[in-house]
Structures are given as structure tokens and as C-alpha cells.
């Protein structure tokens, strides 16, 4: 079949909402875009374990510690599903991990901010996982089958994460004055970086047009950001916390909240590697990778031994 007929068949599938599967023909750029997005997403899950892991030993009760450990473990799992989904496109896990560790690959800007108090764990669950769900619910309908299927499971877990974060904020907001102030301070610091998670404004989003045409993305960065604001403002009101934006106002005509200008200079600065914790995150990942070398070597030696044994048994049966 000629390339133009394969392209036609591919585009027809996209139009008819038929998922593209690993063995299907796809344009090189579609494959590249998916590898870029899915691997960045996987890295975000893995690096995202670090700011929260920072509080595992200091969680205020046994119950909080168990929930936090479970959440951090879930994120490791999400990273693994996503690396597997990216591998179906012909890239290797080693390549992706090497790119992360060398600083070549991107991961979400949000994880380059520090977790200064226990309330930050609540704010991450509520806001960061809340933003992640809004983005990921749309990705359950993405056109590449393995990515869409991974997203369905990830969204179920993210929804538990969001609720545990909101419940931490609710408890603090109803606690002593000092606890409420801690919750407000966390909201003040995490609000704007959470809005940045959705990426640059639509007019500056270089990948959006093509990704929307291929139905990799189903909603634009600004549309998703607006949904997040609309969903989160009433939640803040319910627990009597104030969103740190003097321009935030319900717009009756639009049926949405208007909100203030995002500091895009700060966003690009973080994306380029100059955020408060970029260096620390990469160092932590590299250290964990180096210290885990013996485990990878032992696993590879064990797999080789098992394969040799299987071969010996097969030879014996055959002879
Ligand atoms: N941080 O053309 P654009 C989570 C980059 S949640 C850093 O709009 P696209 C978790 C972008 O990569 C977070 N970089 O791109 C939650 C591109 O650079 P390159 C992970 C960003 O792809 C809780 C350039 O800016 N979620 O995991 O059409 C606990 C231009 O942007 C960011 C996902 O990854 C950012 N915030 O749209 C634990 C969701 N935003 O590649 C874990 C999947 C943009 O040209 N990804 N850039 O060098 C997506 O939906 C899309 O990739 C985005 C960006 C909406 C993020």
C-alpha cells in the first residue's frame, strides 16, 4: 500500500474515533509527538514522587502516613504504565530515563517547587492532582489506544488523591488559627504554579493545533485551565480559604470565572531548568538511579539464569 493510502486510512480512523494501535501505520510526527508527550508525562509522575516523599517521615499521624505512602506508590505505578505505553511506540525505557537524568527531557513545571509545610501535601493533592485529573480525563479519549487505556486507570487513582488532599486542607482550615494560616499559605504558594501546569496560553502553544487535529489533545490548554478555575473556586469557598488573585471574579456573560494574568516569565524560567528545585530534583533522581544499579544488575542476571534453565529443559525434552 502506498504511503498516501496509509495516511488516508490513518486519518480516516482518527475521524471515526477508532483508536490507533501500536502495530498500525502512523505518520512519523504523530509517533514523535506521542513519545514526547507520554514520556514527559511519565517523568512527571516519577519526579512528582519527590516533593511528597519529602513528607512521608513527617506525616502528622499513622493514617496520614499510610495514605501518603499509598499515593506516592500510585504515582510510581502511573509512571510505569506510561513508560510502557511510550515503549509501544518503539522507544526504549533506557533512552527515556537517560534523557530525564541528563536534563534533556521535560517534566511538569509544578514539581520544581518546594514542599515547605504539611499543608503543602494537602495543596498538592487538592490542586495539583485536581489539575492533573482535568487534563487526564480528556486524555482518556486520546487517539492512541495504549495511552488512552493507561489514562482510564490513572484517573481513578488521581480522583482518590485529589480527595485526600482536599480532606487535609479541610481539616487544617477547620483547625486552630495557626493550622488555617498554614493551609492558606500553601494555597497562596501553589495556586499560580497549578494554573501553569496546563501549559502556555493557546496562542503560544506550538504543539496544540497539530495535536488537536490528531485528537491526541481533545481540549486546549486555556480551556482546561478555565475548567480547573471554575471547579476549584467553589471548593476554596467551601473551606473558607481565599484564592490569591484579586482579579478573580464570576463573569455572568461568559458563565466562567475571570482570573488574573499568569506570570509566564516565571513559567518559562522553571521549564528551562531555573526553578527553585530543578537542580535538586535531577540530583535526587540520578542518585536513586545510581544506587539502584545493583538491583538492575541482579534482576538482569536472574532473568538470564532463568532463560538458560528454560533452554536446558527444552533441550532435554527435545533430545
Ligand atoms: N511543564 O505546545 P505546548 C502529574 C512544554 S501531572 C513543563 O502547549 P503540549 C502528577 C511542552 O512540553 C503533570 N513543560 O505543549 C500529578 C512544550 O515543550 P517541548 C503531567 C511544559 O504538549 C500529581 C512547550 O512547553 N501531566 O503527572 O501540546 C502527582 C510548549 O507547550 C508544561 C501531563 O504531562 C509544563 N507545565 O501541551 C504526581 C499531561 N506545559 O515538548 C504526578 C500530558 C507545557 O516542545 N501532557 N510545557 O519541548 C499534556 O497534556 C500536554 O503535554 C501539556 C502541554 C498540556 C502539558
Amino acid at each position: 500500500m502506498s504511503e498516501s493510502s496509509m495516511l488516508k486510512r490513518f486519518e480516516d480512523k482518527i475521524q471515526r474515533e477508532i483508536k490507533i494501535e501500536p502495530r498500525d501505520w502512523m505518520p512519523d510526527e504523530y509517533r514523535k509527538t506521542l513519545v514526547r508527550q507520554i514520556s514527559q508525562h511519565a517523568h512527571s509522575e516519577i519526579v512528582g514522587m519527590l516533593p511528597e516523599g519529602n513528607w512521608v517521615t513527617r506525616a502528622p499521624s499513622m493514617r496520614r502516613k499510610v495514605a501518603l505512602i499509598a499515593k506516592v506508590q500510585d504515582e510510581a505505578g502511573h509512571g510505569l504504565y506510561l513508560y510502557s505505553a511510550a515503549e509501544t511506540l518503539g522507544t526504549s525505557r533506557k533512552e527515556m530515563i537517560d534523557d530525564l537524568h541528563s536534563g534533556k527531557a521535560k517534566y511538569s513545571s509544578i514539581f520544581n517547587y518546594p514542599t515547605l509545610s504539611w499543608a503543602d501535601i494537602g495543596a498538592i493533592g487538592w490542586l495539583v492532582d485536581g489539575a492533573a485529573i482535568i487534563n487526564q480525563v480528556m486524555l482518556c479519549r486520546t487517539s492512541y489506544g495504549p495511552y488512552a487505556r493507561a489514562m482510564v486507570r490513572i484517573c481513578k487513582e488521581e480522583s482518590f488523591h485529589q480527595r485526600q488532599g482536599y480532606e487535609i486542607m479541610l481539616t487544617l482550615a477547620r483547625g486552630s488559627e495557626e493550622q488555617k494560616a498554614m493551609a492558606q499559605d500553601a494555597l497562596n504558594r501553589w495556586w499560580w504554579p497549578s494554573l501553569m501546569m496546563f501549559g502556555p496560553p493557546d496562542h503560544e502553544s506550538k504543539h496544540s493545533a497539530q495535536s488537536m487535529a490528531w485528537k491526541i489533545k481533545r481540549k486546549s490548554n486555556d480551556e482546561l485551565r478555565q475548567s480547573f478555575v471554575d471547579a476549584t473556586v467553589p471548593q476554596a469557598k467551601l473551606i473558607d480559604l481565599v484564592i490569591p488573585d484579586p482579579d478573580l471574579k464570576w463573569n455572568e456573560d461568559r458563565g466562567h470565572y475571570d482570573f488574573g494574568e499568569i506570570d509566564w516569565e516565571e513559567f518559562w524560567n522553571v521549564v528551562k531548568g531555573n526553578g527553585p528545585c530543578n537542580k535538586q530534583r535531577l540530583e535526587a533522581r540520578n542518585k536513586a538511579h545510581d544506587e539502584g544499579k545493583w538491583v538492575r544488575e541482579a534482576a538482569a542476571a536472574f532473568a538470564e539464569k532463568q532463560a538458560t534453565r528454560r533452554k536446558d529443559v527444552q533441550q532435554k525434552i527435545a533430545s
Side-chain angles (χ1 to χ4, degrees):
M1 200 187 280
S2 71
E3 183 150 340
S4 65
S5 8
M6 288 192 292
L7 180 63
K8 199 172 165 300
R9 188 197 267 187
F10 167 84
E11 282 170 349
D12 182 54
K13 275 192 186 160
I14 299 273
Q15 279 322 309
R16 291 165 52 217
E17 301 285 339
I18 299 172
K19 297 279 178 242
I20 306 300
E21 296 298 339
R23 291 200 179 135
D24 293 346
W25 183 90
M26 60 187 87
D28 280 350
E29 276 307 312
Y30 177 83
R31 188 184 296 277
K32 266 196 214 154
T33 300
L34 282 168
V35 169
R36 178 186 63 79
Q37 179 168 323
I38 302 173
S39 62
Q40 285 176 359
H41 195 165
H43 299 326
S44 303
E45 298 283 355
I46 299 300
V47 179
M49 296 165 74
L50 296 171
E52 292 177 297
N54 183 33
W55 277 90
V56 167
T57 55
R58 290 174 290 163
S61 69
M62 189 64 178
R63 182 176 154 256
R64 293 293 188 201
K65 189 184 288 225
V66 169
L68 182 58
I69 292 175
K71 178 181 192 293
V72 173
Q73 276 182 343
D74 282 353
E75 276 144 18
H78 298 174
L80 297 182
Y81 309 153
L82 288 163
Y83 283 128
S84 300
E87 281 179 312
T88 64
L89 291 153
T91 182
S92 74
R93 182 142 342 174
K94 182 172 183 318
E95 234 173 301
M96 291 184 273
I97 301 277
D98 286 349
D99 284 350
L100 171 67
H101 292 170
S102 70
K104 188 176 159 204
K106 287 197 171 74
Y107 59 85
S108 184
S109 49
I110 193 76
F111 301 117
N112 293 306
Y113 291 86
T115 39
L116 304 179
S117 80
W118 170 251
D120 288 26
I121 299 307
I124 290 184
W126 174 32
L127 303 174
V128 176
D129 287 271
I133 296 172
I134 289 193
N135 172 282
Q136 289 168 178
V137 162
M138 98 161 154
L139 291 174
C140 293
R141 294 190 299 117
T142 193
S143 55
Y144 187 57
Y147 193 22
R149 290 189 286 274
M151 277 302 127
V152 172
R153 183 150 176 196
I154 291 177
C155 279
K156 285 186 187 153
E157 291 174 352
E158 298 288 24
S159 139
F160 155 73
H161 296 172
Q162 196 268 352
R163 274 179 281 168
Q164 72 86 39
Y166 189 61
E167 202 256 339
I168 292 175
M169 294 302 264
L170 172 75
T171 307
L172 291 172
R174 286 186 181 162
S176 65
E177 258 180 45
E178 206 183 351
Q179 287 171 320
K180 187 168 179 192
M182 241 167 78
Q184 182 63 54
D185 172 61
L187 171 57
N188 293 349
R189 284 179 293 105
W190 288 91
W191 175 253
W192 292 103
S194 299
L195 296 192
M196 294 173 195
M197 282 176 72
F198 296 95
D202 291 351
H203 64 275
E204 281 179 22
S205 167
K206 59 179 174 179
H207 300 296
S208 274
Q210 184 58 78
S211 289
M212 300 276 272
W214 278 329
K215 298 187 182 173
I216 292 174
K217 280 167 88 163
R218 312 296 305 239
K219 287 184 179 178
S220 82
N221 299 0
D222 286 334
E223 263 180 280
L224 293 172
R225 194 170 4 252
Q226 182 72 63
S227 305
F228 173 72
V229 172
D230 291 347
T232 312
V233 173
Q235 294 168 358
K237 283 191 182 149
L238 202 66
I239 56 175
D240 201 21
L241 292 180
V242 181
I243 304 266
D245 178 356
D247 297 323
L248 188 74
K249 204 167 154 241
W250 178 252
N251 182 325
E252 199 61 55
D253 295 340
R254 292 200 310 122
H256 293 291
Y257 281 95
D258 289 337
F259 54 95
E261 195 52 41
I262 294 171
D263 182 351
W264 292 113
E265 203 180 312
E266 173 182 326
F267 170 75
W268 288 116
N269 205 28
V270 175
V271 171
K272 284 179 192 145
N274 305 317
C277 298
N278 296 60
K279 199 165 162 272
Q280 192 181 323
R281 300 290 182 242
L282 280 195
E283 276 169 9
R285 279 306 319 151
N286 275 294
K287 183 167 177 281
H289 193 69
D290 293 346
E291 287 174 356
K293 187 165 177 261
W294 70 271
V295 179
R296 293 192 297 280
E297 283 172 357
F302 181 72
E304 203 181 311
K305 203 162 114 188
Q306 295 288 93
T308 313
R309 269 199 202 146
R310 256 197 312 275
K311 217 165 124 196
D312 287 350
V313 172
Q314 275 162 359
Q315 269 171 359
K316 266 191 201 146
I317 294 170
S319 63

